Amino acid sequence: MSTSSVSKGCFVFKPSAKKKKTLSLADHFIHGCEGAENSEKRFKLCQDLWDQIKTDTEVLQDELNRNILDSLLDFTRKCTSTRQHSDWASQMRASEIPTAALVLGVNVPDHDMTFESLSDLLQQSVTPHVASVQAKECRALKHLMKRVLERLMGTAVTVDDEEEEEAEQTSAQLHKSVHCSLSTLCDWYNTKTKKSNTGTPGKKRSSPVRDGPQQPPVVIIFKDLEAFNPRVLQDFILICSRYIERLPLMFIFGIATSPSTIQHMLPHSVSSLLCIELFQSLSCTQHLATVIDKLILTKQFPFKLNGKVMQVLISIFLYHDFSVRKFIKGIQLALLEHFHSQPLSVLCCKKEEALLNVMQLDHLDLDRIRNLLSFKRYVEKQEPQEQVDLLTDDTHLKEVCQKLIKDLHKYHKNYYPILRCLHTLTSSLPRYPLGKQIRELHLICLEKNVWESEDYQSAMKLLKMLAKDELIALLQRCTEILQPAKSKKIKSALVQLEDMLAKFKQLDTVAAEPPPTVEDSITSPLKHLQKKTDLAQLQKTLLEMNESRRSKKLSPFEVLRNEALEFIDSLVKSHLSPPESQILNEVCYYASSATVRRHLNAIPRTSIQAALNSPFYYLQNDRLKTEDGTVSNAAPDICIVYKLHLECGRLINLYDWLEAYATVVSAAEGNDPDSDNFGKVDEVKHARFIRAVSELEFLGFIKSTKQKTDHVARLTWGGC
């Protein structure tokens, strides 16, 4: 735009008032998506599965915490009832504050969800007066008092020595603020309870808490007790104990480690003011086992994780933070990556919808199916004419894909019940040859044929040594697992298993005694063995005992037991083959474990070095692209300075470093290398260099040294 004026001046032209268009989540998903032609449909499927996982997780969380939360609610009601309807002084000293010590475990990231549920339940059924505080916002006693009063009273609270904060407040806020003391809270509480008890004449009394007490308790939740300053906590408890007769206070301590934390943080003179009751939540490993059982080991979710991805998620859980919440985020991340990077994930849905989507695939999608590794193996096993049809005829390929999708869904229907049966049988064995948790057995089945492993063979040998009552109990549990299944093969297996159980029960009426000759053949070597101590004779005797057992005639129970275990073995071999053996498994299974590890278990130093070595990777500027691994002279100053410092030794001369930097920057500016000013240090280059060096020092790559004043010391060597 141009303008004209009699006098020279600076003219400002305002941009148009059009609002900048913001990209939605769907736009971000579709942008750069593999196979953009069906990206909208894939996003819809991904979003539906995401919402289903989120909903099921919340329901599962409520179910797992229901017992502990109900116990806490009963505790608060009991304390309130005792205070109102009985002789309070006879049961509890006037200075004792009811306190619930809630041990939640070391999975700190999961605690927020538990405290949110607890706070909501308390406000709904016990008391509207609930305040939650964290250690990071309560470094001093005045901050703790202020946070408690603000969250209980819902108004601004002033502290006497907070002159700076008061100066920033408006006059209206100052007018509404109250003094920070428990006496103020007592007055506010008395006013609130009088209003709720009196109500409006002629109207039914309304209360924020349904069927709540007339004097509801004031509950203060300390989310992370270990992180609080012990002195601050002690002073707060001492102050609160002086108001317990006027204010029905109640504490809930969130403990991550051990109940002994209270003894370590509070001296006896303070802890004696608390009436403590201990509550233990479900362990994080039990929580994880339930999540895996409900979200992963089920045919309800068409999206699956392969063995390596599962191993990464479980490893991060076990060796980092024990966070179930982070584990679920890992599943959601894998879900998003799968639908974003796999164009054929449009078939990762319920069977009916998947069969419909198969018929809507275009030629490009069908070519992608032909390039799948599992489909190539399938084609190689077909007749020559069938191979030609599969590779050239799109209509025929769609019909075959429909059949393969049905087979994949049948595989999942049969896989999980048999997996649970095998786990039921082997988890009761000594030393847990196939793992104590079902996730361990699932990982083995994902990676290889489980029946070919030595652990499986040893498990079957141990099962052949079970007594009749133990084996019948385990088989009965297997029938209960197979009962809800709707697959024809599983129903047939259930009928056969029930027939075997009936035969086992019929053995009670048959008395079978072992032949005396066999007993003699076994006991006589034992008597002989006690007399002989020679090693050769010992080996010979043991071999004779082994041979005698082999030649022993099996009892009816042993014959039936072997038959039952052979039947279980046939089910395992039929239905527990690895997912990689299934055709079109790539449609449902996500396999990029490196991506999940990179996102969930990021290493800051590696990311920083990657950014400084290859700025193009993050900035995506073509001017920064290099082929030989060097940094372009057009790179940011910190990248140039970092690359130059890699060429130095332990001590770096700042002046030499500055001259080298100025030379690189001059080349980037396009100056003539033969000119006198090329590589000359001016004020601008000097300032840019100082800023880049300061940034490197802040990141921890260099530090100042007292050995030489004009040098800095290098701190890092090699890559990560």
Side-chain angles (χ1 to χ4, degrees):
M1 187 178 291
S2 61
T3 184
S4 59
S5 175
V6 176
S7 60
K8 295 181 179 179
C10 180
F11 298 89
V12 177
F13 296 96
K14 294 182 179 181
S16 60
K18 294 181 180 179
K19 292 183 178 180
K20 187 177 180 180
K21 184 181 179 181
T22 57
L23 295 177
S24 64
L25 179 61
D27 296 330
H28 283 290
F29 181 90
I30 296 171
H31 180 68
C33 187
E34 289 287 338
E37 60 277 356
N38 59 3
S39 55
E40 293 183 5
K41 184 181 293 185
R42 283 153 51 198
F43 174 75
K44 180 67 169 58
L45 292 173
C46 178
Q47 193 173 37
D48 291 343
L49 283 174
W50 183 293
D51 294 340
Q52 188 179 355
I53 291 175
K54 183 180 178 182
T55 304
D56 290 1
T57 303
E58 292 173 353
V59 172
L60 186 62
Q61 180 80 21
D62 292 339
E63 290 178 356
L64 292 173
N65 291 330
R66 183 174 299 166
N67 292 336
I68 186 70
L69 294 180
D70 289 345
S71 300
L72 284 168
L73 292 179
D74 293 339
F75 172 73
T76 55
R77 292 192 187 100
K78 180 183 69 176
C79 293
T80 305
S81 176
T82 304
R83 180 181 176 89
Q84 292 181 359
H85 302 295
S86 65
D87 188 0
W88 177 263
S90 64
Q91 297 189 16
M92 188 182 298
R93 294 198 307 272
S95 59
E96 267 188 333
I97 303 173
T99 303
L102 178 58
V103 182
L104 293 172
V106 295
N107 51 327
V108 178
D110 300 335
H111 293 182
D112 287 340
M113 193 179 298
T114 303
F115 284 121
E116 287 175 8
S117 301
L118 175 60
S119 180
D120 292 341
L121 287 174
L122 286 171
Q123 290 177 343
Q124 290 171 10
S125 59
V126 179
T127 174
H129 313 309
V130 181
S132 300
V133 290
Q134 287 182 290
K136 64 182 180 181
E137 56 190 9
C138 305
R139 297 178 181 176
L141 178 61
K142 62 181 180 181
H143 298 142
L144 176 56
M145 295 284 289
K146 182 179 180 181
R147 296 292 180 270
V148 169
L149 266 66
E150 284 179 344
R151 284 161 193 179
L152 287 172
M153 302 170 62
T155 184
V157 177
T158 58
V159 183
D160 293 337
D161 56 350
E162 286 187 343
E163 298 177 357
E164 296 181 0
E165 293 184 7
E166 289 180 1
E168 296 176 359
Q169 292 178 340
T170 61
S171 59
Q173 290 175 328
L174 284 171
H175 180 70
K176 294 180 181 179
S177 63
V178 296
H179 184 64
C180 182
S181 68
L182 279 186
S183 60
T184 304
L185 182 61
C186 290
D187 296 338
W188 171 85
Y189 178 79
N190 291 331
T191 305
K192 281 285 184 181
T193 52
K194 285 180 181 178
K195 284 183 180 180
S196 61
N197 291 336
T198 304
T200 305
K203 289 187 178 181
K204 187 178 180 180
R205 181 176 63 86
S206 61
S207 174
V209 181
R210 184 175 55 191
D211 300 329
Q214 294 182 0
Q215 288 187 342
V218 177
V219 181
I220 302 174
I221 301 174
F222 299 84
K223 290 185 175 181
D224 45 354
L225 184 70
E226 290 92 343
F228 275 86
N229 186 331
R231 189 63 191 172
V232 171
L233 198 61
Q234 294 168 24
D235 293 342
F236 182 76
I237 293 173
L238 289 171
I239 294 172
C240 289
S241 65
R242 299 175 183 177
Y243 290 87
I244 189 63
E245 294 182 357
R246 298 172 55 191
L247 197 64
L249 288 167
M250 187 176 297
F251 295 158
I252 296 178
F253 290 160
I255 301 174
T257 53
S258 169
S260 60
T261 302
I262 299 176
Q263 299 175 355
H264 297 155
M265 295 184 66
L266 305 177
H268 181 264
S269 59
V270 178
S271 61
S272 61
L273 302 175
L274 305 176
C275 178
I276 302 174
E277 187 168 333
L278 182 64
F279 297 88
Q280 180 74 50
S281 69
L282 196 68
S283 68
C284 51
T285 51
Q286 291 175 305
H287 193 168
L288 176 69
T290 308
V291 168
I292 291 177
D293 187 62
K294 300 295 183 183
L295 293 184
I296 295 178
L297 303 181
T298 174
K299 62 181 180 61
Q300 302 300 327
F301 288 97
F303 172 72
K304 308 294 178 185
L305 303 174
N306 81 335
K308 292 182 179 179
V309 178
M310 273 287 294
Q311 188 63 58
V312 167
L313 293 179
I314 293 175
S315 298
I316 292 175
F317 172 86
L318 293 176
Y319 302 117
H320 286 81
D321 52 11
F322 290 99
S323 174
V324 178
R325 198 172 182 179
K326 190 172 181 179
F327 182 85
I328 296 170
K329 283 184 178 179
I331 298 176
Q332 292 176 324
L333 170 66
L335 173 72
L336 186 62
E337 286 286 340
H338 178 68
F339 277 89
H340 186 267
S341 60
Q342 174 58 271
L344 296 176
S345 59
V346 70
L347 304 179
C348 182
C349 51
K350 293 183 179 180
K351 184 176 72 172
E352 293 76 12
E353 189 175 359
L355 296 177
L356 183 62
N357 290 340
V358 167
M359 302 308 296
Q360 297 176 356
L361 296 177
D362 57 16
H363 180 72
L364 183 60
D365 289 329
L366 294 175
D367 282 343
R368 292 189 178 109
I369 290 178
R370 293 183 177 108
N371 289 325
L372 293 178
L373 185 61
S374 63
F375 188 78
K376 288 180 178 179
R377 293 198 303 264
Y378 172 76
V379 173
E380 291 173 357
K381 297 177 182 178
Q382 305 304 312
E383 297 295 330
Q385 184 58 42
E386 179 66 13
Q387 292 181 358
V388 173
D389 294 339
L390 290 172
L391 298 177
T392 58
D393 190 349
D394 289 351
T395 304
H396 179 67
L397 178 59
K398 289 181 180 180
E399 295 174 356
V400 173
C401 285
Q402 282 190 325
K403 177 182 175 298
L404 295 176
I405 289 292
K406 290 180 182 179
D407 293 341
L408 188 61
H409 282 267
K410 288 179 183 177
Y411 165 77
H412 291 141
K413 280 185 179 180
N414 299 332
Y415 176 88
Y416 296 113
I418 303 302
L419 179 73
R420 296 180 195 280
C421 286
L422 182 59
H423 174 255
T424 300
L425 293 170
T426 58
S427 60
S428 61
L429 298 175
R431 294 183 298 171
Y432 310 111
L434 291 176
K436 185 178 181 181
Q437 301 289 341
I438 192 172
R439 67 168 183 264
E440 299 172 285
L441 177 59
H442 179 55
L443 286 175
I444 296 174
C445 295
L446 288 177
E447 294 173 357
K448 59 184 177 182
N449 293 329
V450 64
W451 59 87
E452 295 178 355
S453 64
E454 294 182 2
D455 293 333
Y456 178 83
Q457 300 298 333
S458 63
M460 296 305 291
K461 290 179 181 178
L462 289 172
L463 287 173
K464 291 181 180 179
M465 300 171 64
L466 290 179
K468 182 173 66 174
D469 293 339
E470 294 176 345
L471 184 61
I472 290 177
L474 292 176
L475 293 178
Q476 187 65 45
R477 289 170 59 187
C478 289
T479 58
E480 294 172 0
I481 293 172
L482 300 180
Q483 197 74 40
K486 298 180 180 179
S487 171
K488 293 181 180 179
K489 292 183 178 180
I490 299 299
K491 286 182 178 180
S492 175
L494 176 62
V495 171
Q496 296 182 56
L497 204 55
E498 289 175 343
D499 291 342
M500 290 181 184
L501 278 173
K503 292 179 182 178
F504 274 114
K505 293 175 182 178
Q506 290 176 0
L507 291 177
D508 294 335
T509 60
V510 179
E513 295 183 1
T517 55
V518 177
E519 286 293 329
D520 295 338
S521 64
I522 294 177
T523 54
S524 58
L526 287 174
K527 295 177 181 178
H528 185 65
L529 186 61
Q530 293 173 356
K531 300 177 182 178
K532 299 292 183 180
T533 56
D534 183 64
L535 184 60
Q537 185 64 35
L538 173 65
Q539 186 177 7
K540 181 180 178 181
T541 306
L542 290 174
L543 288 174
E544 289 176 357
M545 291 173 61
N546 191 27
E547 289 295 331
S548 64
R549 287 195 178 96
R550 288 183 181 178
S551 60
K552 174 187 172 183
K553 184 179 179 181
L554 297 178
S555 66
F557 164 70
E558 291 173 331
V559 173
L560 193 56
R561 180 178 61 188
N562 292 344
E563 182 183 346
L565 294 179
E566 287 174 3
F567 175 68
I568 295 294
D569 183 59
S570 65
L571 291 178
V572 169
K573 292 179 179 179
S574 300
H575 303 300
L576 290 189
S577 56
E580 282 77 6
S581 63
Q582 303 301 310
I583 316 302
L584 302 185
N585 68 84
E586 297 92 342
V587 168
C588 298
Y589 283 83
Y590 181 71
S592 181
S593 58
T595 303
V596 175
R597 187 187 298 276
R598 185 172 68 249
H599 285 294
L600 293 182
N601 197 22
I603 304 174
R605 180 184 165 190
T606 304
S607 302
I608 292 171
Q609 287 184 322
L612 296 177
N613 270 316
S614 307
F616 173 77
Y617 181 77
Y618 289 96
L619 301 178
Q620 295 296 311
N621 187 340
D622 292 335
R623 293 182 60 197
L624 304 178
K625 189 181 293 186
T626 56
E627 296 180 357
D628 53 355
T630 59
V631 174
S632 168
N633 53 17
D637 293 337
I638 188 173
C639 298
I640 298 173
V641 170
Y642 171 79
K643 198 67 177 179
L644 292 172
H645 111 285
L646 293 179
E647 302 172 0
C648 302
R650 189 176 66 86
L651 295 178
I652 305 174
N653 187 307
L654 284 172
Y655 185 75
D656 295 341
W657 198 5
L658 173 60
E659 285 193 329
Y661 166 78
T663 303
V664 175
V665 171
S666 297
E669 293 173 350
N671 297 333
D672 185 9
D674 298 330
S675 63
D676 296 336
N677 293 329
F678 185 82
K680 211 167 188 180
V681 179
D682 54 18
E683 293 181 356
V684 176
K685 291 187 179 69
H686 195 187
R688 288 167 59 186
F689 175 77
I690 291 174
R691 182 178 65 179
V693 170
S694 300
E695 290 172 350
L696 277 186
E697 184 177 11
F698 176 76
L699 293 175
F701 289 98
I702 58 172
K703 71 171 184 177
S704 58
T705 177
K706 295 180 180 179
Q707 295 182 10
K708 294 183 179 180
T709 56
D710 58 343
H711 285 64
V712 292
R714 182 179 171 185
L715 298 178
T716 60
W717 304 90
C720 290

